[in-house]
Amino acid sequence: MSKQFPKGFLWGASTSAYQVEGAWNEDGKGPSVQDMKDIPVGTTDFKTAVDHYHRVEEDVLLYKELGLKAYRFSISWSRVMSKGEKNPKGLEFYRKLINLLKENEIEPIVTVFHFDLPYDIHEKGGWENRDTIQVFADYCQILFEEFGQDVKYWQTINEQNVMALAGSAIGTSNKSMKEKFQENHHMLVAQALVTKNYHNGHYPGKIGPAPNIASVYAASDKPEDQLAALYMSALRNWLFLDVAVYGKYNHNAWHLLEKIGASPTITVEDQELLKEGTCDYIAINYYNTMTVSAYYKKENKIDQQSGFGIPGFFQSVENNNLLMTEFDWPVDPEGFRFTLNEVYSRYRLPILVTENGIGAKDILTAERSVHDDYRIDYLKQHIEQMRSAIEDGVEMIGYCPWSAIDLISTHEGIEKRYGFIYVNRSEEDLKDLSRYKKDSFYWYQKVIKNNQL
Ligand code: BG6
C-alpha cells in the first residue's frame, strides 16, 4: 500500500507572533502581557525574539525553499489594535506576510490570539472582564475584513486549555481556579461569537479552535485510576472541544468544576451563543500524552504539558514506558495516533495539527551546520503514527510542526530550540541573528517533496 499522504495534504510549520517577531514597540505596536511579564532568570525576553518582523522576506524565502505548503502563524493583537484603535502599520505587516506567502504558494494559516493579550486590556481585567468578549470580536472583525478573502484556515485561540490550567507556567495568568474558569468561559463565548460572525460574513474559509490535546492514560488497571483518567481528559481536553463542536460544556468537566467551586457564571444568552458559533474543523497541538492516577498526594508540579492534580479527582504521574526529551517532556508517538483517533471518533471533524515538535539545545558547528538527528527521529516517528491514524480512518487536513524557525520558548528561552532553521543568537547576545538550515530542514524538505516519509 502506498505510504503517500492524501493529495493536497498541507505540509506546514508553525510559529507565533510574540515568539518570533521582536519589534515589540515599533510602528505603533503596544505592549502585550508577554512584553510586561517577569522573565525567568537566565532566559531572554521577547523584545527582539528572532527579529522576524524585519526579516520577513528572508524568512518566507527560506520557507519556500523548505517546500512548505502552509505556514501557521499568529497575529499580534496589540500590533493591530493600539489602545482600541486600528493600527494601519500593524495591518500592513500582516498584509505583506500574507502576500509573500501567497506569491510563494504557501497557504497562510492564521491564529488570531496566541498568549499575547494586549496589556491595556489586561489592565482592564483581561478575560475576566466580560467586555473583553466584544473587544476581541471587534478585533477579529477587522482581521476578517482585511484578510478574509486570502486566509482559508483561521484559528480563534491558541491553547486556551493551557492558559486555563497552566497559565502561571507560560506567563498568561496567575489566578484562582474560580477566576481562571470565569476567564475561560468568556474566552469560549468570545470564540463562539467570532465563529458566528465569521460564518455570517460568508468568507471562503474555515474557522476552528486550537487547544493542546493529549490523550490521558490511566496509571494502572485499577478502576479508580481509569476514572481519574476520564476526569483529567474531560477537564484538559473535552471541556474545550465539546463547547467548540457541540456548543455545550462536557458533563464530567462541569461536575468537577462545581465540586471544586470553580464553575463559571453562565447566562442564558451565553448558552445560546455557544450553540450558534460552532467550529468547522479542529486544530490541535500535540506534544505528548499524560498519565494519571487517582489523587493521592498534595504537592503538584505545574508544567504546561503534564504536571497537574486535583484533590478527589486525579494526580499526574510519570509514565516509565516513555522516553524523555532533554527538557523533561515525555515522547509518545503512538500516543499521537491514539490522540488523533480519540479526537476524530468523538467529533468526526477534519483535524489540522498546528504544533508538534521537540525542544532541544541545538549546536551550531564551525561549518555552520546543525546535526539535529534527534529532531528528525522525533518528527519521523510522529509522522509515521499520523500516517497510521489516516489508515485508521482519521480525516486529516495537514501537519504543521513546531516550529518553522527557532523562536523563544514560552519560559525556557532561545536555548530550547524547535526550528528547522537555526537563528544565531543566545540568551544574552543577539549576535548577527543569521539563519542556518539544520539537517532537519533538508530531511523535511524531502518528506514534503515526496508527500511521504
Ligand atoms: C505550545 C505553545 O504550548 O507549546 C507554544 O502553543 C510553545 O507557544 C510550545 O512554544 C512549546 O512550549 P515551550 O514551553 O517549550 O515553548
Side-chain angles (χ1 to χ4, degrees):
M1 188 182 183
S2 159
K3 286 287 176 193
Q4 284 233 331
F5 278 71
K7 198 163 171 272
F9 185 79
L10 290 180
W11 291 105
S14 287
T15 60
S16 91
Y18 82 96
Q19 294 176 277
V20 292
E21 285 177 6
W24 74 289
N25 60 357
E26 286 180 40
D27 293 340
K29 179 182 172 293
S32 80
V33 293
Q34 297 296 339
D35 299 313
M36 305 302 281
K37 74 180 183 186
D38 291 335
I39 301 293
V41 180
T43 65
T44 175
D45 58 28
F46 297 87
K47 293 190 161 66
T48 305
V50 296
D51 202 29
H52 175 68
Y53 188 78
H54 297 117
R55 296 166 193 247
V56 60
E57 286 92 352
E58 179 187 356
D59 290 346
V60 174
L61 278 183
L62 283 163
Y63 299 164
K64 172 72 184 165
E65 187 182 342
L66 177 56
L68 293 187
K69 306 280 182 217
Y71 175 54
R72 183 251 185 171
F73 61 97
S74 78
I75 290 184
S76 155
W77 186 349
S78 66
R79 195 180 288 291
V80 164
M81 303 295 294
S82 189
K83 300 210 170 73
E85 295 295 318
K86 185 155 123 174
N87 175 24
K89 287 247 176 211
L91 284 165
E92 229 172 76
F93 171 71
Y94 295 107
R95 168 50 60 206
K96 176 159 85 177
L97 171 58
I98 290 169
N99 285 351
L100 281 168
L101 292 169
K102 291 187 74 97
E103 281 160 24
N104 287 292
E105 292 171 46
I106 302 171
E107 188 74 53
I109 298 180
V110 174
T111 307
V112 299
F113 171 47
H114 190 127
F115 299 163
D116 51 356
L117 188 70
Y119 198 69
D120 56 327
I121 299 178
H122 166 81
E123 281 189 309
K124 289 185 201 137
W127 285 108
E128 225 183 314
N129 180 349
R130 269 194 86 89
D131 294 347
T132 302
I133 297 173
Q134 191 55 48
V135 176
F136 180 64
D138 294 342
Y139 153 64
C140 291
Q141 202 53 39
I142 291 174
L143 300 184
F144 296 154
E145 280 161 20
E146 294 281 339
F147 309 123
Q149 298 306 322
D150 296 310
V151 174
K152 301 286 154 46
Y153 293 96
W154 293 90
Q155 284 119 44
T156 47
I157 302 180
N158 180 71
E159 295 197 353
Q160 188 181 326
N161 53 342
V162 172
M163 285 191 274
L165 297 168
S168 55
I170 55 167
T172 54
S173 170
N174 203 359
K175 299 182 175 173
S176 69
M177 288 291 268
K178 175 80 184 161
E179 292 163 329
K180 285 202 265 199
F181 278 89
Q182 190 64 51
E183 286 185 350
N184 183 65
H185 176 66
H186 293 156
M187 278 192 243
L188 291 170
V189 174
Q191 169 170 279
L193 175 60
V194 162
T195 303
K196 182 181 160 186
N197 292 345
Y198 182 76
H199 289 151
N200 287 345
H202 302 291
Y203 296 103
K206 295 184 191 310
I207 187 161
N212 177 309
I213 299 296
S215 288
V216 182
Y217 301 145
S220 79
D221 55 8
K222 285 188 205 154
E224 61 265 37
D225 288 348
Q226 301 289 329
L227 202 61
L230 180 135
Y231 265 98
M232 174 80 244
S233 203
L235 182 70
R236 188 201 189 294
N237 299 314
W238 316 138
L239 185 159
F240 304 89
L241 287 178
D242 279 13
V243 173
V245 178
Y246 302 136
K248 56 183 182 192
Y249 273 81
N250 173 279
H251 65 288
N252 294 114
W254 187 259
H255 171 68
L256 186 154
L257 291 178
E258 281 197 321
K259 276 279 186 195
I260 62 170
S263 54
T265 305
I266 301 183
T267 66
V268 176
E269 293 75 42
D270 290 349
Q271 282 170 347
E272 279 163 15
L273 192 54
L274 293 183
K275 289 224 173 66
E276 289 165 358
T278 57
C279 63
D280 305 320
Y281 72 101
I282 294 173
I284 64 168
N285 298 346
Y286 173 87
Y287 287 89
N288 42 56
T289 47
M290 286 185 76
T291 305
V292 298
S293 69
Y295 188 81
Y296 62 89
K297 65 173 182 184
K298 291 211 174 74
E299 273 170 38
N300 289 306
K301 178 187 93 171
I302 289 275
D303 170 89
Q304 81 260 42
Q305 293 299 331
S306 45
F308 204 68
I310 293 204
F313 287 94
F314 49 75
Q315 167 74 57
S316 63
V317 295
E318 265 172 41
N319 185 332
N320 298 323
N321 301 300
L322 304 177
L323 296 174
M324 304 293 264
T325 70
E326 65 179 312
F327 284 90
D328 269 347
W329 284 15
V331 178
D332 188 4
E334 279 165 314
F336 187 33
R337 175 180 180 184
F338 192 91
T339 301
L340 292 171
N341 271 284
E342 218 184 350
V343 171
Y344 188 66
S345 59
R346 284 182 72 94
Y347 303 108
R348 292 299 172 127
L349 284 175
I351 301 173
L352 173 64
V353 175
T354 36
E355 289 183 33
N356 171 236
I358 183 169
K361 294 182 182 171
D362 296 337
I363 294 167
L364 184 67
T365 67
E367 298 75 40
R368 299 304 194 220
S369 303
V370 178
H371 302 307
D372 56 343
D373 42 310
Y374 38 87
R375 181 163 294 109
I376 296 175
D377 281 353
Y378 179 101
L379 294 172
K380 182 168 176 285
Q381 289 176 43
H382 284 79
I383 292 172
E384 264 164 10
Q385 294 297 327
M386 176 170 62
R387 173 71 229 172
S388 298
I390 292 174
E391 280 168 27
D392 292 331
V394 176
E395 208 184 328
M396 299 280 314
I397 299 170
Y399 176 69
C400 300
W402 191 257
S403 51
I405 188 165
D406 282 347
L407 42 71
I408 317 299
S409 141
T410 57
H411 60 292
E412 293 178 286
I414 181 75
E415 273 251 282
K416 190 181 189 186
R417 294 172 185 269
Y418 284 90
F420 292 109
I421 299 161
Y422 185 93
V423 178
N424 191 31
R425 61 157 292 181
S426 68
E427 303 297 348
E428 314 78 28
D429 185 355
L430 291 176
K431 299 187 185 170
D432 57 8
L433 290 158
S434 289
R435 275 68 170 140
Y436 297 103
K437 294 164 225 165
K438 301 183 191 177
D439 288 357
S440 59
F441 181 101
Y442 298 105
W443 169 83
Y444 193 45
Q445 188 181 47
K446 255 193 238 152
V447 173
I448 299 177
K449 186 159 177 277
N450 298 332
N451 197 25
Q452 64 182 339
L453 281 172

PDB file of all heavy atoms in Angstrom, residues 31-47:
ATOM      1  N   PRO A  31       2.345  47.245  24.086  1.00  0.00           N
ATOM      2  CA  PRO A  31       2.853  46.057  24.787  1.00  0.00           C
ATOM      3  C   PRO A  31       1.768  45.003  24.999  1.00  0.00           C
ATOM      4  O   PRO A  31       0.587  45.338  25.100  1.00  0.00           O
ATOM      5  CB  PRO A  31       3.324  46.615  26.133  1.00  0.00           C
ATOM      6  CG  PRO A  31       2.560  47.873  26.328  1.00  0.00           C
ATOM      7  CD  PRO A  31       2.251  48.415  24.961  1.00  0.00           C
ATOM      8  N   SER A  32       2.185  43.754  25.053  1.00  0.00           N
ATOM      9  CA  SER A  32       1.256  42.670  25.397  1.00  0.00           C
ATOM     10  C   SER A  32       1.683  42.137  26.761  1.00  0.00           C
ATOM     11  O   SER A  32       2.730  42.533  27.291  1.00  0.00           O
ATOM     12  CB  SER A  32       1.338  41.547  24.361  1.00  0.00           C
ATOM     13  OG  SER A  32       2.469  40.734  24.617  1.00  0.00           O
ATOM     14  N   VAL A  33       0.899  41.232  27.316  1.00  0.00           N
ATOM     15  CA  VAL A  33       1.277  40.659  28.626  1.00  0.00           C
ATOM     16  C   VAL A  33       2.631  39.964  28.537  1.00  0.00           C
ATOM     17  O   VAL A  33       3.354  39.887  29.527  1.00  0.00           O
ATOM     18  CB  VAL A  33       0.209  39.675  29.170  1.00  0.00           C
ATOM     19  CG1 VAL A  33      -1.075  40.398  29.505  1.00  0.00           C
ATOM     20  CG2 VAL A  33      -0.073  38.534  28.184  1.00  0.00           C
ATOM     21  N   GLN A  34       2.993  39.492  27.358  1.00  0.00           N
ATOM     22  CA  GLN A  34       4.282  38.811  27.217  1.00  0.00           C
ATOM     23  C   GLN A  34       5.448  39.794  27.298  1.00  0.00           C
ATOM     24  O   GLN A  34       6.537  39.432  27.714  1.00  0.00           O
ATOM     25  CB  GLN A  34       4.337  38.049  25.880  1.00  0.00           C
ATOM     26  CG  GLN A  34       3.304  36.933  25.783  1.00  0.00           C
ATOM     27  CD  GLN A  34       3.516  35.823  26.794  1.00  0.00           C
ATOM     28  OE1 GLN A  34       4.608  35.640  27.334  1.00  0.00           O
ATOM     29  NE2 GLN A  34       2.468  35.053  27.058  1.00  0.00           N
ATOM     30  N   ASP A  35       5.210  41.043  26.879  1.00  0.00           N
ATOM     31  CA  ASP A  35       6.273  42.060  26.968  1.00  0.00           C
ATOM     32  C   ASP A  35       6.442  42.548  28.395  1.00  0.00           C
ATOM     33  O   ASP A  35       7.485  43.094  28.749  1.00  0.00           O
ATOM     34  CB  ASP A  35       5.933  43.262  26.072  1.00  0.00           C
ATOM     35  CG  ASP A  35       5.824  42.875  24.606  1.00  0.00           C
ATOM     36  OD1 ASP A  35       6.722  42.174  24.119  1.00  0.00           O
ATOM     37  OD2 ASP A  35       4.837  43.264  23.956  1.00  0.00           O
ATOM     38  N   MET A  36       5.406  42.416  29.195  1.00  0.00           N
ATOM     39  CA  MET A  36       5.428  43.010  30.531  1.00  0.00           C
ATOM     40  C   MET A  36       5.673  41.989  31.645  1.00  0.00           C
ATOM     41  O   MET A  36       5.845  42.364  32.795  1.00  0.00           O
ATOM     42  CB  MET A  36       4.085  43.707  30.810  1.00  0.00           C
ATOM     43  CG  MET A  36       3.695  44.749  29.767  1.00  0.00           C
ATOM     44  SD  MET A  36       4.915  46.053  29.580  1.00  0.00           S
ATOM     45  CE  MET A  36       4.517  47.045  31.003  1.00  0.00           C
ATOM     46  N   LYS A  37       5.665  40.687  31.314  1.00  0.00           N
ATOM     47  CA  LYS A  37       5.748  39.680  32.379  1.00  0.00           C
ATOM     48  C   LYS A  37       7.173  39.572  32.938  1.00  0.00           C
ATOM     49  O   LYS A  37       8.143  40.035  32.297  1.00  0.00           O
ATOM     50  CB  LYS A  37       5.287  38.314  31.857  1.00  0.00           C
ATOM     51  CG  LYS A  37       6.279  37.637  30.935  1.00  0.00           C
ATOM     52  CD  LYS A  37       5.754  36.283  30.457  1.00  0.00           C
ATOM     53  CE  LYS A  37       6.762  35.563  29.602  1.00  0.00           C
ATOM     54  NZ  LYS A  37       6.267  34.324  28.998  1.00  0.00           N
ATOM     55  N   ASP A  38       7.318  38.955  34.106  1.00  0.00           N
ATOM     56  CA  ASP A  38       8.650  38.683  34.667  1.00  0.00           C
ATOM     57  C   ASP A  38       9.269  37.551  33.873  1.00  0.00           C
ATOM     58  O   ASP A  38       8.660  36.492  33.704  1.00  0.00           O
ATOM     59  CB  ASP A  38       8.536  38.251  36.135  1.00  0.00           C
ATOM     60  CG  ASP A  38       8.081  39.404  37.007  1.00  0.00           C
ATOM     61  OD1 ASP A  38       8.323  40.559  36.611  1.00  0.00           O
ATOM     62  OD2 ASP A  38       7.463  39.140  38.052  1.00  0.00           O
ATOM     63  N   ILE A  39      10.484  37.783  33.411  1.00  0.00           N
ATOM     64  CA  ILE A  39      11.170  36.770  32.595  1.00  0.00           C
ATOM     65  C   ILE A  39      11.995  35.877  33.525  1.00  0.00           C
ATOM     66  O   ILE A  39      12.725  36.390  34.380  1.00  0.00           O
ATOM     67  CB  ILE A  39      12.092  37.464  31.563  1.00  0.00           C
ATOM     68  CG1 ILE A  39      11.288  38.399  30.654  1.00  0.00           C
ATOM     69  CG2 ILE A  39      12.902  36.458  30.762  1.00  0.00           C
ATOM     70  CD1 ILE A  39      10.313  37.734  29.710  1.00  0.00           C
ATOM     71  N   PRO A  40      11.910  34.542  33.390  1.00  0.00           N
ATOM     72  CA  PRO A  40      12.705  33.667  34.251  1.00  0.00           C
ATOM     73  C   PRO A  40      14.207  33.983  34.146  1.00  0.00           C
ATOM     74  O   PRO A  40      14.708  34.260  33.047  1.00  0.00           O
ATOM     75  CB  PRO A  40      12.410  32.265  33.717  1.00  0.00           C
ATOM     76  CG  PRO A  40      11.122  32.392  32.970  1.00  0.00           C
ATOM     77  CD  PRO A  40      11.055  33.793  32.466  1.00  0.00           C
ATOM     78  N   VAL A  41      14.897  33.967  35.274  1.00  0.00           N
ATOM     79  CA  VAL A  41      16.324  34.309  35.324  1.00  0.00           C
ATOM     80  C   VAL A  41      17.108  33.464  34.311  1.00  0.00           C
ATOM     81  O   VAL A  41      16.882  32.261  34.180  1.00  0.00           O
ATOM     82  CB  VAL A  41      16.887  34.023  36.747  1.00  0.00           C
ATOM     83  CG1 VAL A  41      18.370  34.369  36.827  1.00  0.00           C
ATOM     84  CG2 VAL A  41      16.072  34.801  37.770  1.00  0.00           C
ATOM     85  N   GLY A  42      17.996  34.133  33.584  1.00  0.00           N
ATOM     86  CA  GLY A  42      18.871  33.407  32.654  1.00  0.00           C
ATOM     87  C   GLY A  42      18.262  33.197  31.278  1.00  0.00           C
ATOM     88  O   GLY A  42      18.909  32.645  30.397  1.00  0.00           O
ATOM     89  N   THR A  43      17.013  33.630  31.079  1.00  0.00           N
ATOM     90  CA  THR A  43      16.433  33.486  29.740  1.00  0.00           C
ATOM     91  C   THR A  43      16.161  34.874  29.166  1.00  0.00           C
ATOM     92  O   THR A  43      16.019  35.849  29.896  1.00  0.00           O
ATOM     93  CB  THR A  43      15.106  32.680  29.750  1.00  0.00           C
ATOM     94  OG1 THR A  43      14.123  33.411  30.474  1.00  0.00           O
ATOM     95  CG2 THR A  43      15.275  31.311  30.363  1.00  0.00           C
ATOM     96  N   THR A  44      16.086  34.925  27.858  1.00  0.00           N
ATOM     97  CA  THR A  44      15.880  36.210  27.184  1.00  0.00           C
ATOM     98  C   THR A  44      14.420  36.688  27.293  1.00  0.00           C
ATOM     99  O   THR A  44      13.518  35.884  27.515  1.00  0.00           O
ATOM    100  CB  THR A  44      16.238  36.100  25.682  1.00  0.00           C
ATOM    101  OG1 THR A  44      15.919  37.330  25.042  1.00  0.00           O
ATOM    102  CG2 THR A  44      15.466  35.001  24.993  1.00  0.00           C
ATOM    103  N   ASP A  45      14.225  37.977  27.091  1.00  0.00           N
ATOM    104  CA  ASP A  45      12.848  38.483  26.965  1.00  0.00           C
ATOM    105  C   ASP A  45      12.424  38.346  25.494  1.00  0.00           C
ATOM    106  O   ASP A  45      13.116  37.731  24.685  1.00  0.00           O
ATOM    107  CB  ASP A  45      12.748  39.944  27.456  1.00  0.00           C
ATOM    108  CG  ASP A  45      13.686  40.853  26.677  1.00  0.00           C
ATOM    109  OD1 ASP A  45      13.982  40.550  25.501  1.00  0.00           O
ATOM    110  OD2 ASP A  45      14.142  41.878  27.235  1.00  0.00           O
ATOM    111  N   PHE A  46      11.272  38.943  25.156  1.00  0.00           N
ATOM    112  CA  PHE A  46      10.723  38.758  23.812  1.00  0.00           C
ATOM    113  C   PHE A  46      10.864  40.008  22.940  1.00  0.00           C
ATOM    114  O   PHE A  46      10.234  40.116  21.899  1.00  0.00           O
ATOM    115  CB  PHE A  46       9.242  38.354  23.927  1.00  0.00           C
ATOM    116  CG  PHE A  46       9.054  37.031  24.622  1.00  0.00           C
ATOM    117  CD1 PHE A  46       8.954  36.964  26.006  1.00  0.00           C
ATOM    118  CD2 PHE A  46       9.016  35.847  23.902  1.00  0.00           C
ATOM    119  CE1 PHE A  46       8.805  35.741  26.654  1.00  0.00           C
ATOM    120  CE2 PHE A  46       8.872  34.629  24.540  1.00  0.00           C
ATOM    121  CZ  PHE A  46       8.768  34.579  25.919  1.00  0.00           C
ATOM    122  N   LYS A  47      11.700  40.940  23.382  1.00  0.00           N
ATOM    123  CA  LYS A  47      11.735  42.248  22.706  1.00  0.00           C
ATOM    124  C   LYS A  47      12.266  42.165  21.263  1.00  0.00           C
ATOM    125  O   LYS A  47      11.770  42.842  20.381  1.00  0.00           O
ATOM    126  CB  LYS A  47      12.556  43.244  23.529  1.00  0.00           C
ATOM    127  CG  LYS A  47      11.866  43.581  24.858  1.00  0.00           C
ATOM    128  CD  LYS A  47      12.533  44.742  25.563  1.00  0.00           C
ATOM    129  CE  LYS A  47      11.628  45.378  26.600  1.00  0.00           C
ATOM    130  NZ  LYS A  47      11.304  44.543  27.747  1.00  0.00           N
TER     131      LYS A  47
END
